[in-house]
């Protein structure tokens, strides 16, 4: 069955969603995989994604985290006794996820879309695009994460052309803000920034662990997620269980969230705020966003996977690639200053050898003129 694939590589989670061809149209996006954002490079240079896929006793020194946002940093990442570029590790992770989905679906995807932070310029995108080509994923669509989140929202609610909106993505370790304008074909990023307290999700886990005296930070992460729906939870601490109610939790995290959302006040002329990212599940986030900016606040039904679902939607082919179809299928967006091809390659992603990542040569001293984004 024909399908397209959207991948979002975050600092804490890697999520993948697909859109399958259903007759003369395309089905709703479906999340197919979510992994912890950890890449393991074995001594033979093969890779694995996620801790659940690793055998016991592997070397922690060969595990990489937070590699996508390192793209553009000329300092390589050392794993074991080898050096790797961040873009090579990112491409390897995308290739591994693509191969896993291909194995499950039985055929490769017809197109892959991969998201990136909203502030990336041509330099970072070029590094990633070249690495993806080297990894056997040429033609991968590179898409700003906020646009993917907005496209996911567009499935549920119409957004008029000319509308501006703020997308605030609160992830485990980063808070991205972007102002989008709805154009006839797609959304356009017209402004972006980061929160002054980027590690919102991780900071909430730390606050909760300190509050109850827990040694297991993972139990606090699970408690945080449960308190988004349940009125109270119990958290294991050495020799005991501590009960935490949602009002108690909200009083604890309110100052932190208020500081994270404070930059929204800059956008007084914007009437709509879309919240995405796993931390957006906390009900207090939407309430504080509405207090900070007198605007309509919307939260994706599954904010933690909104970006990968939106990427899968954008990866669908344009109307011209569906002969005889009367279904309304959006064109692949032509984004200003982004590497997006309006054409659609009917050939699926070609079969690829097992995913490996090639180490860098011993580093040489290099001089770079000017700044790059």
């Amino acid at each position: 069955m024909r399908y397209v694939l959207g991948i979002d590589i975050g600092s804490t989670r890697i999520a993948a969603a697909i859109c399958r061809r259903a007759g003369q149209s395309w089905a709703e996006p479906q999340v197919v995989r979510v992994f912890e954002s950890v890449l393991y490079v074995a001594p033979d240079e093969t890779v694995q994604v996620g801790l659940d896929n690793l055998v016991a006793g592997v070397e922690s020194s060969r595990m990489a985290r937070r590699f996508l946002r390192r793209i553009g940093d000329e300092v390589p990442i050392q794993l074991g006794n080898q050096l790797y570029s961040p873009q090579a590790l990112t491409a390897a992770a995308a290739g591994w996820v693509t191969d896993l989905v291909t194995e499950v679906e039985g055929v490769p995807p017809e197109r892959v879309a991969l998201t990136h932070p909203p502030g990336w310029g041509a330099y970072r995108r070029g590094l990633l695009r070249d690495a993806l080509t080297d990894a056997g994923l040429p033609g991968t669509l590179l898409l700003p994460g906020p646009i993917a989140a907005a496209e996911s929202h567009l499935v549920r609610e119409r957004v008029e052309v000319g509308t501006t909106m703020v997308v605030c993505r609160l992830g485990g370790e980063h808070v991205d803000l972007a102002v989008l304008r709805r154009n006839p074909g797609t959304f356009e990023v017209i402004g972006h920034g980061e929160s002054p307290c980027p590690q919102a999700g991780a900071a909430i886990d730390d606050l909760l662990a300190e509050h109850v005296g827990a040694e297991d930070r993972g139990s606090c992460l699970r408690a945080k997620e449960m308190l988004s729906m349940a009125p109270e939870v119990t958290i294991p601490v050495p020799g005991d269980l501590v009960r935490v109610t949602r009002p108690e939790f909200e009083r604890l995290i309110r100052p932190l969230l208020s500081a994270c959302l404070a930059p929204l006040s800059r956008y007084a002329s914007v009437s709509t705020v879309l919240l995405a990212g796993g931390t957006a599940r906390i009900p207090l986030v939407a309430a504080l966003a509405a207090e900070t900016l007198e605007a309509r606040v919307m939260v994706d039904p599954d904010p933690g996977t909104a970006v990968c679902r939106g990427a899968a939607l954008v990866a669908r082919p344009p109307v011209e690639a569906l002969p005889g179809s009367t279904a309304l299928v959006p064109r692949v967006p032509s984004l200003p200053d982004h590497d997006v091809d309006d054409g659609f390659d009917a050939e699926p992603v070609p079969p690829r050898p097992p995913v490996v990542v090639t180490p860098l040569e011993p580093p040489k001293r290099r001089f770079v003129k000017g700044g790059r984004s």
Side-chain angles (χ1 to χ4, degrees):
M1 179 179 288
R2 295 174 57 182
Y3 71 97
V4 292
L5 172 64
I7 303 174
D8 175 49
I9 300 179
S11 296
T12 57
R13 295 286 187 272
I14 297 175
I18 63 173
C19 279
R20 293 189 177 93
R21 177 74 180 273
Q24 295 298 316
S25 61
W26 292 85
E28 294 291 318
Q30 175 187 356
V31 179
V32 290
R33 287 290 187 274
V34 178
F35 308 95
E36 188 165 354
S37 192
V38 177
L39 180 72
Y40 172 75
V41 180
D44 63 356
E45 297 175 5
T46 58
V47 304
Q48 293 283 336
V49 171
L51 294 178
D52 292 343
N53 297 298
L54 299 180
V55 297
V58 297
E59 302 174 60
S60 60
S61 66
R62 304 194 69 87
M63 297 181 189
R65 300 175 185 265
R66 308 171 188 87
F67 37 86
L68 180 137
R69 288 186 180 255
R70 287 278 304 275
I71 292 177
D73 183 350
E74 295 205 354
V75 178
I77 297 173
Q78 181 170 353
L79 301 178
N81 59 358
Q82 299 284 2
L83 298 175
Y84 300 89
S85 70
Q87 57 268 22
L89 296 179
T90 301
W96 190 93
V97 172
T98 302
D99 288 349
L100 181 65
V101 174
T102 297
E103 182 179 355
V104 172
E105 295 296 317
V107 293
E110 296 195 25
R111 174 174 277 179
V112 178
L114 178 63
T115 63
H116 61 76
W120 277 19
Y123 175 62
R124 285 190 174 97
R125 293 196 314 274
L127 290 175
L128 180 54
R129 185 181 63 249
D130 291 345
L132 288 165
T133 299
D134 292 342
L137 288 173
T140 297
L141 182 66
L142 299 183
L143 182 70
I147 288 182
E151 291 287 349
S152 180
H153 170 70
L154 195 60
V155 171
R156 304 186 309 278
E157 184 170 337
R158 180 180 178 85
V159 179
E160 297 294 337
V161 172
T163 300
T164 57
M165 62 190 300
V166 175
V167 177
C168 180
R169 182 184 185 181
L170 297 97
E173 295 192 1
H174 292 89
V175 178
D176 289 325
L177 297 169
V179 181
L180 308 185
R181 179 170 52 225
R182 174 66 175 161
N183 291 335
T186 184
F187 291 91
E188 175 188 0
V189 178
I190 59 176
H192 60 83
E194 286 195 3
S195 169
C197 51
Q199 295 187 325
I204 289 173
D205 300 339
D206 292 340
L207 281 174
L208 195 53
E210 183 179 355
H211 179 67
V212 301
E215 295 180 352
D216 178 14
R217 190 171 174 274
S219 65
C220 293
L221 185 153
R222 292 186 291 272
K224 173 188 68 177
E225 295 173 348
M226 292 175 63
L227 281 167
S228 298
M229 301 172 290
E232 63 179 50
V233 298
T234 55
I235 301 175
V237 300
D240 200 1
L241 292 172
V242 176
R243 183 173 69 96
V244 178
T245 65
R246 183 185 289 178
E248 179 184 3
F249 175 61
E250 290 183 345
R251 285 193 299 271
L252 179 69
I253 65 174
R254 178 180 285 269
L256 172 66
L257 289 179
S258 295
C260 289
L261 297 171
L264 288 176
S265 61
R266 304 170 188 165
Y267 309 113
S269 61
V270 177
S271 60
T272 302
V273 176
L274 175 63
L275 300 177
T279 305
R281 291 190 180 97
I282 301 173
L284 181 61
V285 172
L288 290 176
E291 292 177 9
T292 304
L293 179 64
E294 294 183 2
R296 182 186 179 203
V297 177
M298 299 171 296
V299 184
D300 190 274
D302 183 11
T305 63
V307 175
C308 74
R309 286 183 283 114
L313 287 166
V314 174
R316 296 175 302 175
V319 172
E320 289 83 355
L322 301 176
S325 173
T326 59
L328 178 62
V329 180
R331 290 184 57 82
V332 174
S334 180
L335 305 175
D337 193 35
H338 285 78
D339 303 315
V340 178
D341 178 12
D342 270 343
F344 180 73
D345 184 0
E347 293 298 323
V349 175
R352 305 183 309 111
V355 178
V356 298
V357 58
T358 304
L360 298 171
E361 296 294 328
K364 299 177 181 179
R365 185 175 182 83
R366 291 185 290 176
F367 298 89
V368 180
K369 294 183 178 179
R372 286 167 168 168
S373 62

